[in-house]
């Protein structure tokens, strides 16, 4: 039931005074369990993916949307329907690109998709030439922006690479990179740009991967000094698995150069 798959919004600031969190409201949209939530980098949007094979996008309330009327500090702006979703199985994971112009979804159907509301990234004038799925407005202009990246096993975790990879400039437009974790424990790196679409740029050796499903990926952020001074180092990726292990993998920056 939808009420059993609600997103509950909590006010943690209340814990400072009362030693307990205060519930601000709930967001009801999905028919089955929410599998992951992700806030956009600016904190203004909340993305949810679900076992019902759909995603939903929620916007923080502004002057036009009052919390007393919506019952929560966010309101629904976009989402897919089960019948029209590009994913045919459970969506296990989601991640925002660093510039918030894209988000990725990864599914048990072994596919990764990118979504955007940016007209340039959606390539509305050349979708047929790029073999992109038909554009369907999911709300506020959001739609699938990429072909589907097909991998060897169910996709259980996706995470955009921060800093150098996100929106790296190329002659054919911005290039985005992300880590992808699979149900068989494998970890791969992939990149996407408008002209070339998807490419798998690196596969982590099996000896370094978990033996069971990857459940979550998280890149270590670069410090402000590393970004402003352009210092080079390895990027580090934390990998959490159903085998109860957490491992940290290091990748040279050159893997993410355009």
């Amino acid at each position: 039931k939808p009420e059993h798959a609600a997103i509950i919004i909590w006010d943690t600031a209340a814990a400072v005074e009362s030693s307990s969190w205060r519930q601000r409201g709930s967001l009801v949209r999905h028919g089955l369990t929410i599998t992951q939530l992700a806030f956009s980098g600016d904190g203004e949007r909340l993305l949810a993916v679900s076992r019902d094979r759909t995603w939903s996008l929620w916007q923080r309330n502004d002057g036009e949307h009052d919390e007393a009327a919506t019952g929560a500090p966010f309101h629904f702006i976009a989402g897919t329907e089960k019948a029209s979703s590009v994913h045919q199985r459970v969506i296990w994971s989601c991640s925002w690109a660093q510039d918030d112009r894209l988000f990725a979804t990864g599914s048990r159907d072994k596919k990764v998709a990118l979504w955007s509301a940016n007209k340039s990234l959606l390539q509305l004038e050349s979708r047929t030439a790029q073999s992109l799925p038909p554009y369907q407005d999911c709300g506020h202009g959001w739609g699938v922006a990429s072909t589907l990246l097909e991998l060897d096993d169910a996709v259980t975790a996706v995470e955009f690479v921060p800093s150098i990879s996100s929106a790296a400039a190329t002659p054919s437009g911005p290039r985005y990179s992300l880590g992808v974790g699979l149900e068989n424990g494998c970890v791969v790196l992939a990149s996407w740009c408008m002209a070339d679409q998807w490419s798998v740029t690196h596969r982590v050796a099996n000896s370094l991967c978990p033996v069971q499903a990857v459940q979550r990926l998280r890149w270590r952020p670069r410090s402000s000094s590393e970004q402003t001074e352009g210092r080079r180092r390895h990027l580090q990726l934390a990998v959490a698995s159903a085998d109860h292990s957490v491992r940290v993998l290091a990748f040279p920056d050159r893997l993410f150069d355009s």
Side-chain angles (χ1 to χ4, degrees), residues 3 11 30 45 128 147 158 219 246:
E3 60 268 26
D11 180 0
H30 294 281
R45 286 166 290 180
T128 302
T147 57
V158 293
W219 293 95
V246 176

Side-chain angles (χ1 to χ4, degrees), residues 211-241:
V211 296
Q212 293 185 29
V214 176
Q215 293 185 316
R216 193 61 55 90
L217 299 173
R218 184 59 54 89
W219 293 95
R220 179 182 179 180
R222 284 176 177 252
S223 68
S224 57
S225 62
E226 286 172 328
Q227 294 188 49
T228 57
E229 297 171 13
R231 284 188 283 163
R232 306 285 286 180
R233 65 169 176 84
H234 285 64
L235 288 181
Q236 296 176 340
L237 176 66
V239 182
S241 169

Side-chain angles (χ1 to χ4, degrees), residues 28-258:
V28 178
R29 169 76 180 182
H30 294 281
L32 294 173
T33 309
I34 304 295
T35 52
Q36 190 172 350
L37 299 171
F39 282 100
S40 58
D42 60 9
E44 292 299 310
R45 286 166 290 180
L46 175 61
L47 173 65
V49 293
S50 168
R51 283 181 174 270
D52 65 11
R53 308 197 300 267
T54 70
W55 57 261
S56 62
L57 187 60
W58 307 80
Q59 179 76 38
R60 189 180 295 274
N61 290 343
D62 51 24
E64 296 181 8
H65 297 84
D66 181 72
E67 186 169 337
T70 62
F74 289 82
H75 60 277
F76 175 79
I77 61 169
T80 51
E81 301 289 343
K82 186 181 298 185
S84 59
S85 175
V86 301
H87 290 299
Q88 302 304 310
R89 304 290 298 276
V90 174
I91 303 177
W92 284 125
S93 186
C94 60
S95 176
W96 286 93
Q98 185 191 32
D99 60 8
D100 287 344
R101 297 201 300 168
L102 285 169
F103 65 78
T105 54
S107 169
R108 181 179 278 172
D109 63 11
K110 306 180 183 181
K111 297 179 176 66
V112 176
L114 299 183
W115 306 82
S116 181
N118 181 278
K119 292 183 178 180
S120 174
L121 294 177
L122 286 171
Q123 304 178 79
L124 298 178
E125 303 299 325
S126 59
R127 292 182 70 89
T128 302
Q130 293 284 4
S131 300
L132 292 169
Y135 171 74
Q136 293 186 0
D137 188 341
C138 300
H140 285 245
W142 285 90
V144 63
S146 71
T147 57
L148 302 181
L149 172 63
E150 299 192 32
L151 293 162
D152 301 328
D153 204 359
V155 176
T156 51
V158 293
E159 182 75 358
F160 274 99
V161 182
S163 196
I164 59 170
S165 65
S166 187
T170 71
S172 56
R175 181 179 295 278
Y176 298 83
S177 296
L178 67 164
V180 183
L182 305 182
E183 192 170 47
N184 60 12
C186 290
V187 177
V188 302
L189 302 182
S191 70
W192 177 87
C193 72
M194 291 185 291
D196 303 328
Q197 291 295 306
W198 288 105
S199 61
V200 174
T201 56
H202 183 73
R203 295 180 183 270
V204 176
N206 288 338
S207 60
L208 299 177
C209 293
V211 296
Q212 293 185 29
V214 176
Q215 293 185 316
R216 193 61 55 90
L217 299 173
R218 184 59 54 89
W219 293 95
R220 179 182 179 180
R222 284 176 177 252
S223 68
S224 57
S225 62
E226 286 172 328
Q227 294 188 49
T228 57
E229 297 171 13
R231 284 188 283 163
R232 306 285 286 180
R233 65 169 176 84
H234 285 64
L235 288 181
Q236 296 176 340
L237 176 66
V239 182
S241 169
D243 66 8
H244 307 293
S245 71
V246 176
R247 62 197 67 205
V248 178
L249 306 176
F251 301 90
D253 282 359
R254 58 179 172 78
L255 286 176
F256 312 103
D257 290 339
S258 58

